[in-house]
Amino acid sequence: MSLSAERWLSYLMIFFYMPVLSQETAPYSRYGLGEITPPYFTAQKGMGGLVAAYREPLQINFLNPASYSAIRLTTLEAGANFIHKNMHDASSDRRYSTGNGFLDYIALGFPVSERSGISVGLIPYSKMNYAFRETQNVTGVGDIQKSYSGNGRLYQFYAGGAFRFPKADTTTNSFSIGLNAAYVFGTISRIDTFIFPDAATYNNKVSTLVHMNNLALGTGIQYTRQLKKQLQLTSGVYALFPAYSNSRQEDLWERVLTFRTIDTIASASSRNKAVKTPVEVGAGLTVGKAGKWLAGADFYYKVWTAIPSFSPKAELKNSWEIHAGGEFIPNSQSFNFFRRTAYRMGIYYNSGHLQLYKENIAEYGITFGIGMPIKTAFARIHITMDIGQRGTLKNNLIKETYYRAHVGFTLNDKWFIKRKYD
């Protein structure tokens, strides 16, 4: 029995009214476009971020749009994530913790025909939230107190479609091609304040506000070949690149005294075409048996050098990533709950696009996940745990150890399918 429209609406209302916890502190989000949010849905996160060659008939894979041609039922995906961080600041030898919860993504996928599909969705692109201070001694002036703060989020709304050749996946091989258009939008702000030791001196505050309204395009291909013993091999390649940049940057220089603005020194507003998403390419392989198991690995490369870091201390470098993982389902046809549950595991390494004091801010971690079937509906609940580290203690920097929990929902129904009988 298909889900009623009222039940789908109920699921959506529950998702959007989930409580959001306090803000997470992310010190490395000060630079560039902030801390980038991986564009994977919860099931893919459980496999370490396996996406380039990932195609499933009942799930959506945003990063490689060629996968939309595999969608067999109308699919709704939604998710939230919760994070706890333990941070070690080498400059002060201080240790502290932070965390939050946030609504993550929502997406819809539809089969258009036996060999084509489309998808639309809203997913986060990056986040910025930091606040810290430092003291600099200047000869003849004394100790200048510097404080830095910033906040904001960027999102992307996407729509795309895919087409598959030949007509059926049951033949020896098939080839799919897909295209996404993504509107990247949002606002991020930075405030730098300089406090001088002389109380009679006007202090300075510099504010930078970036409004992003850009268009990016993504394309992908996937090739699937049937092997012996019901094994299936899939290879995938995708690319993301900015198509149009309409980012506007506002800069404001002010003099302040006792946290009051005395006057505005200067202000400027201009279009900054350099504020855009980076070019990204990826490739991967998966092998498995449908409804039983899947394993694979991906490699991604991103070009960051043309994007401003917004700090003389930081430099954005081209980065690369490796992701590997898989899932196992004991018996997808069993009536036993645990035998129908999907068990997932993965690993990942990101060389990092941010370089501070000649140190790359790399990231690596391990993931565990499960996909639990729901008895009363053609749906699954996905839960993933992600344990990882980012940063370094070298050159008085910060090392983060984080624990992320992801909860996602996949709901399937037979919308827009023509009835054969009245």
Side-chain angles (χ1 to χ4, degrees):
M1 180 182 296
S2 64
L3 288 172
S4 66
E6 291 80 7
R7 184 173 296 181
W8 278 78
L9 182 60
S10 299
Y11 282 124
L12 282 173
M13 291 178 64
I14 291 172
F15 170 73
F16 278 111
Y17 282 95
M18 288 179 64
V20 178
L21 307 180
S22 60
Q23 288 293 315
E24 166 202 358
T25 299
Y28 291 123
S29 68
R30 179 190 175 200
Y31 310 100
L33 300 180
E35 186 176 293
I36 305 302
T37 303
Y40 327 128
F41 295 167
T42 305
Q44 297 142 27
K45 289 175 181 176
M47 295 178 283
L50 204 62
V51 291
Y54 185 79
R55 56 186 287 118
E56 287 293 325
L58 302 178
Q59 291 181 22
I60 301 170
N61 173 12
F62 154 77
L63 209 55
N64 192 334
S67 64
Y68 303 157
S69 64
I71 297 174
R72 288 293 166 266
L73 293 175
T74 298
T75 301
L76 169 67
E77 298 245 23
N81 69 70
F82 308 87
I83 185 169
H84 176 82
K85 285 183 181 178
N86 295 325
M87 290 188 278
H88 183 186
D89 186 346
S91 63
S92 62
D93 200 29
R94 179 182 168 221
R95 300 173 187 267
Y96 55 99
S97 299
T98 182
N100 83 334
F102 193 76
L103 305 179
D104 203 357
Y105 60 85
I106 183 167
L108 281 168
F110 308 93
V112 177
S113 68
E114 290 185 358
R115 49 181 173 174
S116 61
I118 60 175
S119 179
V120 296
L122 178 67
I123 62 178
Y125 184 83
S126 68
K127 59 186 176 183
M128 179 175 291
N129 190 62
Y130 64 90
F132 60 92
R133 297 179 180 180
E134 66 178 5
T135 301
Q136 181 182 6
N137 184 270
V138 178
T139 303
V141 178
D143 290 338
I144 301 177
Q145 302 292 328
K146 299 182 178 181
S147 65
Y148 308 94
S149 63
N151 63 78
R153 286 183 179 268
L154 300 179
Y155 300 87
Q156 51 186 336
F157 175 81
Y158 78 89
F163 188 77
R164 173 171 50 83
F165 309 89
K167 186 174 181 179
D169 262 337
T170 55
T171 56
T172 57
N173 57 73
S174 67
F175 176 81
S176 298
I177 185 169
L179 179 68
N180 269 338
Y183 171 58
V184 185
F185 65 97
T187 301
I188 51 179
S189 66
R190 299 172 173 87
I191 299 176
D192 299 347
T193 306
F194 307 94
I195 308 296
F196 295 91
D198 186 351
T201 303
Y202 288 134
N203 305 310
N204 296 328
K205 183 171 74 172
V206 181
S207 304
T208 301
L209 197 66
V210 175
H211 305 279
M212 197 165 182
N213 295 282
N214 293 2
L215 179 67
L217 294 178
T219 185
I221 58 175
Q222 288 183 331
Y223 175 77
T224 300
R225 186 170 185 84
Q226 300 292 334
L227 305 178
K228 295 179 180 180
K229 299 182 179 179
Q230 298 182 326
L231 292 181
Q232 189 176 75
L233 177 68
T234 300
S235 58
V237 177
Y238 74 88
L240 296 171
F241 50 92
Y244 174 71
S245 178
N246 191 32
S247 297
R248 181 162 293 278
Q249 180 173 326
E250 298 176 8
D251 297 295
L252 182 66
W253 295 266
E254 300 173 297
R255 291 194 297 176
V256 297
L257 182 63
T258 319
F259 303 105
R260 290 187 300 110
T261 299
I262 303 301
D263 60 17
T264 299
I265 302 173
S267 64
S269 178
S270 61
R271 182 174 297 178
N272 191 341
K273 292 186 177 181
V275 180
K276 56 188 177 182
T277 56
V279 174
E280 176 181 350
V281 293
L285 285 171
T286 62
V287 63
K289 186 179 293 187
K292 186 68 177 178
W293 63 272
L294 179 77
D298 287 353
F299 177 83
Y300 315 147
Y301 188 80
K302 298 182 182 180
V303 181
W304 286 92
T305 50
I307 299 172
S309 66
F310 294 98
S311 172
K313 299 178 181 179
E315 187 177 359
L316 300 189
K317 295 282 191 179
N318 296 340
S319 64
W320 56 271
E321 304 176 32
I322 294 177
H323 301 253
E327 71 175 358
F328 172 70
I329 304 174
N331 187 347
S332 60
Q333 304 301 317
S334 174
F335 292 102
N336 183 282
F337 173 83
F338 295 102
R339 292 184 62 80
R340 287 189 296 126
T341 296
Y343 301 91
R344 305 179 176 115
M345 185 176 179
I347 57 174
Y348 59 89
Y349 176 84
N350 184 346
S351 68
H353 65 277
L354 174 62
Q355 188 176 78
L356 282 171
Y357 304 107
K358 305 301 180 182
E359 297 290 342
N360 284 342
I361 308 304
E363 179 180 4
Y364 58 90
I366 185 170
T367 64
F368 307 90
I370 56 175
M372 301 178 292
I374 299 176
K375 264 189 175 182
T376 58
F378 201 25
R380 280 183 177 267
I381 296 177
H382 308 282
I383 299 176
T384 293
M385 289 297 301
D386 180 355
I387 304 172
Q389 286 192 345
R390 179 190 295 112
T392 177
L393 296 179
K394 296 179 180 178
N395 288 326
N396 290 326
L397 294 174
I398 296 173
K399 176 181 281 188
E400 303 175 355
T401 301
Y402 54 80
Y403 307 88
R404 289 189 291 223
H406 308 274
V407 180
F409 305 89
T410 300
L411 306 174
N412 306 107
D413 202 358
K414 295 181 179 180
W415 292 7
F416 312 122
I417 295 178
K418 186 182 294 186
R419 294 174 181 264
K420 292 185 177 180
Y421 305 100
D422 291 330

